[in-house]
Amino acid sequence: MTAEPVPASVWRDPPGGRKAVAVWSIGVAVYFVAVIFRTSLGVAGLEAVDRFHVNASALSTFSLLQLLVYAGMQVPVGLMVDRLGTKKVLTLGAVLFTAGQLGFALSPSYGMALAARALLGCGDAMTFISVLRLGTRWFPARRGPLMAQLAGLVGMAGNLVSTLVLAPVLHGVGWVPAFAGSATAGLVVLVPLVLFLRDHPEGYEPAPTAPGAAQGFVRRQIRDAWQEPGTRLGLWVHFTTQFPAMVFLLLWGMPFLVEAQGLARTAAAGLLTLVVASNMGFGLVYGQLIGRRQSARIPLALGTVGLTALLWASVLACPGSHAPMWLLTTLCVVLGTCGPASMIGFDFARPANPVERQGTASGITNMGGFLASMTTLLAVGILLDATGGNYRIAFSSVFVVEALWIARILRLRGRALARERDREAAVLGPAPDPALPEPSRTDLSRPAPA
């Protein structure tokens, strides 16, 4: 017997369970492969310079264009997920990023390689927002922060594959076999995606679209999501926290460690791996902390920004030509907190928006970190060329980006948290006695159960 859809006026949390885990795992596998492709250039930067005969600025353009496409696609992808559903968007994304990776492998010129990375970025842009949507549709609201952090953790595992697997394969078999071979992973994840993925559990179909609602859909979705202080706060948290690690892993970490710090490639690859491993460990910690205590969000985000700036300053200001290994190791451990901290942005946007606007709000939020990464990637490349390869000056751009936008977080946090408390009070009723145990949070983006 087919379960009846839940009426729009009555909301029950999705059931979770084994089927939810199985469906969510398919979506996360697609995201995992997308991250492998996204970060594959990070271990091939020096080889790309030789293959395409380019300088630092031109090399940074690969990642810059990829991130530009990714960031520019976030809001359109969010709208597509809200309108078309997760399966269609994820399928299109997998086809595009697989074609992009294969095209990058076979590109004979710099221009064609740029076009391939742009295509890859377009497909990559469709994955993470879709996975967040799967988590919202298949798991109870109280699991939201943990599921988002777990998705980010799996993404970092994709980064780990780039560092530990793709890098030695690239050095062993060469450019074309390594990148073309990796593209087959996209075909592998397409099969279960097409056959088994479902947008939501049976009985939890979204309410039918009201007549005439399609008119002005795009404008209305973006306007309503942006008007929420929680959405804007999520954007700036993501913007300020994510980019230091992204810039390091995506392109400039390996050249910095090899050329500026004098490390062997194997030692540099080990430190890049440490960033990824640290990210995975801190992802679990941050997810558990925020799931249990929402008040930890702002302290964790600001603390991550401050600690990252402190470690970068220590490395860049270190006397002598090279920083000591223990300091570089500490920097890489701290950079691992940037990814989990950026996920906090979604924990501000999620309760600020109803479920039918989650894709759009997540797209706006996810745009932040990639805009910051794109800006810093370009700034580092330009400064390296302008200063003759002075990494200390080039990486000082990290502090400028952090300082400019942390003010936005401080300015928005009061309004966003006040509005969140008002919404919570409307759903849960008066605040509980502080002497009593804190009740479980419900999904504030849904109407209260009848």
Side-chain angles (χ1 to χ4, degrees):
M1 180 180 292
T2 303
E4 292 296 324
V6 179
S9 58
V10 180
W11 171 251
R12 293 180 290 114
D13 264 349
R18 292 182 179 178
K19 187 172 183 179
V21 172
V23 171
W24 181 81
S25 297
I26 295 172
V28 168
V30 177
Y31 175 56
F32 172 77
V33 174
V35 173
I36 294 175
F37 293 177
R38 178 201 304 170
T39 57
S40 57
L41 185 59
V43 298
L46 299 177
E47 287 80 3
V49 169
D50 295 334
R51 180 176 176 82
F52 299 111
H53 310 291
V54 294
N55 60 15
S57 296
L59 178 62
S60 68
T61 304
F62 276 125
S63 295
L64 176 66
L65 179 62
Q66 184 180 333
L67 290 183
L68 178 63
V69 172
Y70 187 103
M73 285 291 294
Q74 287 309 293
V75 173
V77 166
L79 292 165
M80 289 170 64
V81 171
D82 286 340
R83 192 65 181 271
L84 302 177
T86 302
K87 183 173 183 175
K88 292 179 180 178
V89 177
L90 263 183
T91 301
L92 177 59
V95 170
L96 291 178
F97 68 60
T98 302
Q101 184 77 343
L102 182 61
F104 190 61
L106 303 177
S107 294
S109 66
Y110 177 67
M112 291 186 66
L114 277 177
R117 294 305 284 186
L119 186 63
L120 193 158
C122 186
D124 182 18
M126 299 181 179
T127 58
F128 188 64
I129 300 301
S130 299
V131 171
L132 289 180
R133 176 75 165 197
L134 278 180
T136 301
R137 287 293 195 184
W138 282 89
F139 291 94
R142 67 181 182 276
R143 298 293 185 193
L146 181 59
M147 300 313 297
Q149 291 286 355
L150 286 175
L153 185 151
V154 172
M156 290 309 296
N159 202 324
L160 196 63
V161 169
S162 290
T163 305
L164 295 180
V165 179
L166 186 58
V169 170
L170 177 65
H171 299 146
V173 302
W175 183 279
V176 173
F179 279 97
S182 68
T184 60
L187 301 176
V188 170
V189 296
L190 262 174
V191 175
L193 170 57
V194 172
L195 293 180
F196 303 115
L197 191 130
R198 299 292 180 267
D199 286 349
H200 44 70
E202 251 189 297
Y204 289 80
E205 292 80 1
T209 304
Q215 297 180 356
F217 172 80
V218 171
R219 184 177 62 253
R220 184 173 61 252
Q221 287 284 97
I222 296 174
R223 180 199 62 206
D224 292 348
W226 184 255
Q227 285 178 347
E228 289 290 344
T231 304
R232 300 199 301 277
L233 179 60
L235 167 70
W236 297 122
V237 167
H238 198 271
F239 188 105
T240 312
T241 54
Q242 186 198 48
F243 79 94
M246 180 68 69
V247 168
F248 196 80
L249 289 170
L250 200 59
L251 184 61
W252 291 121
M254 180 70 78
F256 169 74
L257 293 172
V258 173
E259 296 179 352
Q261 298 301 318
L263 298 183
R265 282 177 177 269
T266 53
L271 287 179
L272 293 179
T273 303
L274 179 61
V275 177
V276 177
S278 173
N279 186 301
M280 297 171 72
F282 279 109
L284 293 174
V285 174
Y286 278 39
Q288 291 287 351
L289 285 175
I290 296 168
R292 294 175 181 176
R293 188 165 296 277
Q294 294 283 298
S295 59
R297 290 174 296 176
I298 288 290
L300 281 174
L302 295 180
T304 299
V305 173
L307 192 57
T308 303
L310 176 63
L311 264 296
W312 260 123
S314 300
V315 169
L316 298 179
C318 193
S321 57
H322 301 152
M325 191 64 179
W326 68 265
L327 186 56
L328 292 174
T329 301
T330 306
L331 170 66
C332 290
V333 171
V334 170
L335 285 175
T337 65
C338 293
S342 72
M343 302 299 295
I344 296 172
F346 298 103
D347 294 319
F348 288 111
R350 187 184 302 111
N353 292 275
V355 70
E356 61 270 15
R357 211 164 58 221
Q358 288 290 316
T360 305
S362 295
I364 292 172
T365 300
N366 203 33
M367 191 168 55
F370 292 92
L371 286 174
S373 299
M374 179 179 64
T375 303
T376 312
L377 279 168
L378 180 61
V380 170
I382 291 174
L383 289 171
L384 283 174
D385 285 339
T387 61
N390 190 320
Y391 279 91
R392 290 187 177 183
I393 295 176
F395 272 107
S396 294
S397 56
V398 170
F399 308 121
V400 177
V401 177
E402 285 184 331
L404 282 175
W405 300 110
I406 199 169
R408 297 272 186 174
I409 297 175
L410 297 174
R411 197 170 77 179
L412 277 169
R413 62 175 178 170
R415 272 194 296 161
L417 294 177
R419 188 168 175 83
E420 193 174 294
R421 284 192 297 269
D422 291 344
R423 194 186 297 259
E424 182 175 5
V427 174
L428 297 179
D433 187 330
L436 298 176
E438 184 178 351
S440 299
R441 290 174 59 88
T442 61
D443 186 355
L444 307 183
S445 65
R446 290 288 193 168

